[in-house]
Amino acid sequence: MREISASEFKAKCSAILDEVMQTGQAVTITKRGKPVARLVPPVPRQDGYPQDTLFGTVKIQGDIVEPALKADVWEANERLSR
């Protein structure tokens, strides 16, 4: 596993991200010689995202733009009309 300093990571962040993506090898980022973070490639997902299971389950029941209550029942409107 490769180790790089935080300052080198900051200077070459995009290139290091590309390297991790291409090689699949993790990179340890150090600060003053001590490890502070590890950049690892993502785990490939074979089954999609959890949100995908919700597709097609939501039904819109009416107007989604109109307020839930009419303006004449709002307390704020009553105070303004006094």
Side-chain angles (χ1 to χ4, degrees):
M1 180 179 341
R2 180 173 164 207
E3 284 190 8
I4 61 168
S5 67
S7 59
E8 181 183 354
F9 178 74
K10 183 178 176 182
K12 301 176 182 177
C13 178
S14 184
I16 294 168
L17 290 172
D18 291 340
E19 175 188 326
V20 170
M21 183 178 66
Q22 291 171 357
T23 65
Q25 297 295 317
V27 173
T28 300
I29 302 162
T30 62
K31 201 168 192 177
R32 295 184 190 98
K34 295 181 181 179
V36 293
R38 182 172 294 141
L39 180 62
V40 297
V43 176
R45 297 188 64 97
Q46 300 297 326
D47 57 346
Y49 295 98
Q51 305 89 303
D52 292 343
T53 61
L54 299 173
F55 186 77
T57 62
V58 175
K59 294 180 184 176
I60 296 175
Q61 302 288 328
D63 190 344
I64 60 173
V65 179
E66 288 291 318
L69 299 173
K70 294 186 181 201
D72 60 342
V73 298
W74 294 4
E75 291 177 24
N77 280 343
E78 287 178 20
R79 283 184 244 153
L80 289 175
S81 62
R82 290 182 194 170

